[in-house]
């Protein structure tokens, strides 16, 4: 961070008193304060008791910081660029245009579907940037965790169980590791060989660790309080639900994926409904946007859902897993 760079600070020391007959003087001098010279200014009132105050302020301008990075061949890394306010994104993009020309090296990390935001903020960056996409973990890569881990534990596991673990871990190696842990623990505790039934049990044990999502799920199912008694109900095999509950069921339907286009959402909804009724894109989009507002109000710090260009992005695989296995 900027605070850790070896750049100079400015120190200001002041003294004050109440003697009306006193004379006031000022002196300035430099002090070596470890890593850099400090400019010190003293205001002194003679003939009076006074209180001393010492204030240190950073003298680190944006230009100094960037020049330090350039001179020392450092790379500026801006993580989670998608969280930055739009106005600040525009400012960063304008600054980068100039400083890249001066020799600055910068890396901007953002979500895949928002990787073009820096260029959108400043089209002049076209030709000055290179996009590197880091793909999510594949099912084969996740499966390798189970293959290697259970072999080291001396626990035989079938390919069907390995595939199910990889599928339900939804591109997340952390979730895969936790599911494997719960499965191994259950197998030792129950003294049973690994089976599909035991894998299902392990998933439910993992879901218990994410019970903090329960409040959020209930808020989504309830939907906005306004108009709750006038909502249309849709008939499903398991009963009638309103539009909010219906979409939540569509989100978690098979197969578990973190990107749902409007076409896919409509197909999933059609598969849930007993009737041949089709929901319009307008109704689906409006409801998704309201669900996102519910998420933001219920758990403000949770970056869970995003809807862009008629595609729903489930940013939190742990939430999707909880929806499927709670």
């Amino acid at each position: 961070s900027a605070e850790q760079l070896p750049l100079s600070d400015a120190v200001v020391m002041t003294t004050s008193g109440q003697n009306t007959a006193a004379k006031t003087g000022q002196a300035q001098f430099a002090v070596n304060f470890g890593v850099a010279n400090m400019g010190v200014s003293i205001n002194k009132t003679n003939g009076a008791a006074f209180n001393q105050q010492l204030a240190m302020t950073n003298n680190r301008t944006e230009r100094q910081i960037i020049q330090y990075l350039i001179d020392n061949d450092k790379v500026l890394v801006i993580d989670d660029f998608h969280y930055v306010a739009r106005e600040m994104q525009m400012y960063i993009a304008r600054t980068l245009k100039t400083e890249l020309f001066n020799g600055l090296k910068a890396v901007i990390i953002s979500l895949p579907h928002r990787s073009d935001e820096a260029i959108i903020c400043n089209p002049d960056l076209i030709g000055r940037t290179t996009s590197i996409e880091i793909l999510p973990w594949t099912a084969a890569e996740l499966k390798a965790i189970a293959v290697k881990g259970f072999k080291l534990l001396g626990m035989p596991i079938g390919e069907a169980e390995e595939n199910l673990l990889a599928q339900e871990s939804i591109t997340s190696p952390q979730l895969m590791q936790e599911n494997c842990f719960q499965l191994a623990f259950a197998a030792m505790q129950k003294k049973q060989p690994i089976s599909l039934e035991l894998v299902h049990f392990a998933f439910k044990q993992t879901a218990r660790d994410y019970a903090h999502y329960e409040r959020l799920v209930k808020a989504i199912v309830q939907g906005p309080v306004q108009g709750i008694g006038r909502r249309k109900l849709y008939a499903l095999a398991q009963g009638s639900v309103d539009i909010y509950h219906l979409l939540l069921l569509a989100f978690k339907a098979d197969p578990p994926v973190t990107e749902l286009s409007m076409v896919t959402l409509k197909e999933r909804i059609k598969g849930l409904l007993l009737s041949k009724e089709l929901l319009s894109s307008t109704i689906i989009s409006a409801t998704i946007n309201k669900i996102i507002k519910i998420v933001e109000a219920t758990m403000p710090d949770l970056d869970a859902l995003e809807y862009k260009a008629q595609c729903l992005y489930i940013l939190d695989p742990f939430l999707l897993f909880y929806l499927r296995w709670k």
Side-chain angles (χ1 to χ4, degrees):
S1 65
E3 289 76 11
Q4 294 175 309
L5 296 179
L7 300 176
S8 63
D9 287 326
V11 177
V12 177
M13 182 181 294
T14 62
T15 60
S16 60
Q18 301 298 324
N19 191 331
T20 58
K23 296 180 180 180
T24 301
Q26 185 180 56
Q28 294 184 344
F29 54 94
V31 178
N32 190 304
F33 204 79
V35 297
N37 289 332
M38 300 297 176
V40 177
S41 175
I42 295 181
N43 293 320
K44 185 176 181 182
T45 301
N46 294 320
F50 55 83
N51 297 318
Q52 283 193 341
Q53 296 177 336
L54 176 64
M56 180 181 289
T57 58
N58 286 333
N59 189 28
R60 294 166 181 167
T61 66
E62 175 188 293
R63 179 90 282 281
Q64 281 182 301
I65 294 170
I66 291 177
Q67 193 59 52
Y68 175 86
L69 297 176
I70 295 172
D71 293 343
N72 292 273
D73 198 28
K74 303 293 185 182
V75 179
L76 173 64
V77 178
I78 304 174
D79 197 4
D80 292 332
F81 188 72
H82 51 280
Y83 286 139
V84 179
R86 190 66 172 181
E87 296 77 11
M88 182 56 68
Q89 284 185 344
M90 305 249 331
Y91 177 77
I92 291 172
R94 287 195 301 267
T95 302
L96 285 179
K97 177 202 168 185
T98 302
E99 299 303 340
L100 289 175
F101 180 79
N102 293 332
L104 178 68
K105 300 174 184 177
V107 175
I108 295 177
I109 302 175
S110 188
L111 295 172
H113 64 280
R114 294 175 65 176
S115 60
D116 58 350
E117 286 186 335
I119 292 177
I120 291 174
C121 291
N122 190 347
D124 287 340
L125 288 175
I126 296 175
R128 293 180 170 90
T129 59
T130 300
S131 179
I132 302 174
E133 184 177 3
I134 301 176
L135 298 174
W137 283 55
T138 64
E141 290 169 332
L142 293 173
K143 183 177 174 180
I145 295 175
V147 172
K148 183 176 181 179
F150 286 105
K151 182 179 180 180
L152 290 172
L153 291 173
M155 292 183 173
I157 181 172
E159 187 173 0
E161 289 77 13
E162 292 169 350
N163 290 335
L164 182 59
L165 282 165
Q167 173 187 286
E168 294 301 321
S169 295
I170 317 171
T171 75
S172 171
Q174 293 86 0
L175 193 51
M176 182 69 176
Q177 289 172 333
E178 187 162 357
N179 283 328
C180 288
F181 168 79
Q182 293 291 353
L183 178 58
F185 186 78
M188 290 186 291
Q189 190 177 46
K190 294 176 177 291
K191 297 181 181 179
Q192 295 178 4
I194 293 176
S195 63
L196 289 175
E197 182 181 359
L198 201 61
V199 173
H200 289 178
F201 176 80
F203 289 157
K204 292 177 182 178
Q205 294 300 109
T206 298
R208 288 177 58 185
D209 292 338
Y210 298 96
H212 55 278
Y213 289 123
E214 182 177 1
R215 181 167 59 95
L216 176 62
V217 172
K218 287 182 177 179
I220 295 174
V221 171
Q222 179 179 329
V225 176
Q226 185 179 5
I228 192 171
R230 302 189 302 273
R231 287 184 202 144
K232 180 178 179 178
L233 296 180
Y234 299 88
L236 312 181
Q238 63 267 45
S240 296
V241 299
D242 68 11
I243 184 67
Y244 292 93
H245 198 163
L246 176 62
L247 281 185
L248 207 60
L249 292 173
F251 295 170
K252 73 167 189 171
D254 289 328
V257 294
T258 56
E259 294 184 19
L260 293 167
S261 67
M262 180 60 68
V263 172
T264 302
L265 283 169
K266 286 185 174 181
E267 289 177 350
R268 289 188 173 197
I269 291 171
K270 182 180 178 181
L272 291 168
L273 295 175
L274 291 179
S275 67
K276 295 183 179 180
E277 180 179 4
L278 298 177
L279 273 70
S280 70
S281 301
T282 302
I283 292 176
I284 295 173
S285 295
T287 306
I288 289 176
N289 285 322
K290 290 178 181 178
I291 289 174
I292 291 175
K293 289 182 179 179
I294 292 171
V295 173
E296 292 172 347
T298 307
M299 299 181 72
D301 296 329
L302 179 65
D303 195 20
L305 304 173
E306 185 171 349
Y307 188 59
K308 182 180 181 182
Q310 290 200 323
C311 184
L312 176 70
Y313 298 91
I314 302 176
L315 307 179
D316 185 357
F318 295 91
L319 172 60
L320 180 56
F321 179 86
Y322 180 79
L323 288 174
R324 291 175 61 81
W325 293 98
K326 67 182 179 65

